[in-house]
Amino acid sequence: LQWTGMCSIVSLAKAHILAIFSFLFSVASFAYVNYDRRVKLVPRARKGKWCVLDPTHDRKETILRGVIEVYNHSSRPNSIVSYRLYTDNNGVHEEFESELYSNTERDQAKPGEGGDEQKFNVTPLTIPPYSGVPVSIQAIIKGKHSLAMGYLPVMVEIEDVFGKRYSTQVKAQR
């Protein structure tokens, strides 16, 4: 009789310990899933000469063209909804015109046909979970700028569909 009572106490203790471990495992799993579902875009400048400065035809403005990489470190898809490009020109904050641009390259030999079209600052640009995409950027810079150390430091700021902003600095060269 005493042995049976002892077995039921041990079984009851095992059941309580198992229930506590199950609860703790469930809480940890829930916390990890919610942490993993957070929105997080990571913009990065590409290594090398991927951002260039070209003068316009009238030489009063400069066109910045380049490619950055944007990575989605989340388990949910995200979208870029806006771009903002700016620089601090000798201590003066200067915003650039950065809207949706499309450039068409026309072949000289075939004047009647359309050329390859390249789009810049595309919105909305959807980025799948746990992946990265190259993003083509373009901006019009008014006036002339001195290139310190051979490049113009430009901040590229993107905003996602949730309203969070992320930025990276690129070195635009001629």
Side-chain angles (χ1 to χ4, degrees):
L1 219 49
Q2 289 180 344
W3 179 251
T4 308
M6 198 59 146
C7 285
S8 65
I9 291 174
V10 170
S11 320
L12 189 61
K14 285 182 183 178
H16 283 306
I17 290 172
L18 184 62
I20 290 170
F21 279 129
S22 298
F23 175 74
L24 291 176
F25 183 75
S26 297
V27 168
S29 298
F30 179 74
Y32 177 74
V33 166
N34 278 341
Y35 176 76
D36 191 43
R37 289 183 55 90
R38 75 202 184 286
V39 292
K40 179 74 173 155
L41 292 180
V42 179
R44 291 188 186 153
R46 276 195 169 171
K47 294 186 190 307
K49 192 175 178 182
W50 284 93
C51 288
V52 295
L53 298 169
D54 293 324
T56 57
H57 293 294
D58 61 2
R59 301 213 176 261
K60 292 181 182 175
E61 298 174 333
T62 304
I63 297 176
L64 164 74
R65 284 191 194 114
V67 177
I68 62 170
E69 298 169 350
V70 179
Y71 297 94
N72 185 1
H73 284 222
S74 176
S75 64
R76 52 195 311 191
N78 205 338
S79 294
I80 297 174
V81 295
S82 72
Y83 299 85
R84 187 172 156 241
L85 285 83
Y86 60 92
T87 190
D88 288 324
N89 187 19
N90 298 325
V92 177
H93 181 80
E94 182 179 357
E95 295 267 341
F96 302 150
E97 288 182 28
S98 56
E99 54 197 41
L100 175 63
Y101 294 105
S102 67
N103 295 340
T104 304
E105 304 267 338
R106 289 192 170 82
D107 191 359
Q108 302 291 340
K110 302 173 188 170
E113 296 180 11
D116 296 330
E117 184 178 54
Q118 184 177 11
K119 294 190 180 227
F120 298 90
N121 307 340
V122 175
T123 58
L125 179 64
T126 304
I127 305 170
Y130 299 116
S131 65
V133 295
V135 178
S136 298
I137 57 171
Q138 180 173 321
I140 296 176
I141 304 169
K142 303 234 184 257
K144 296 190 176 196
H145 291 79
S146 61
L147 300 182
M149 298 189 299
Y151 64 88
L152 179 67
V154 177
M155 290 299 294
V156 179
E157 185 178 278
I158 59 174
E159 182 178 351
D160 69 6
V161 73
F162 301 101
K164 291 181 78 175
R165 294 179 182 212
Y166 311 91
S167 62
T168 187
Q169 184 177 28
V170 297
K171 297 176 180 177
Q173 303 170 346
R174 293 199 196 274

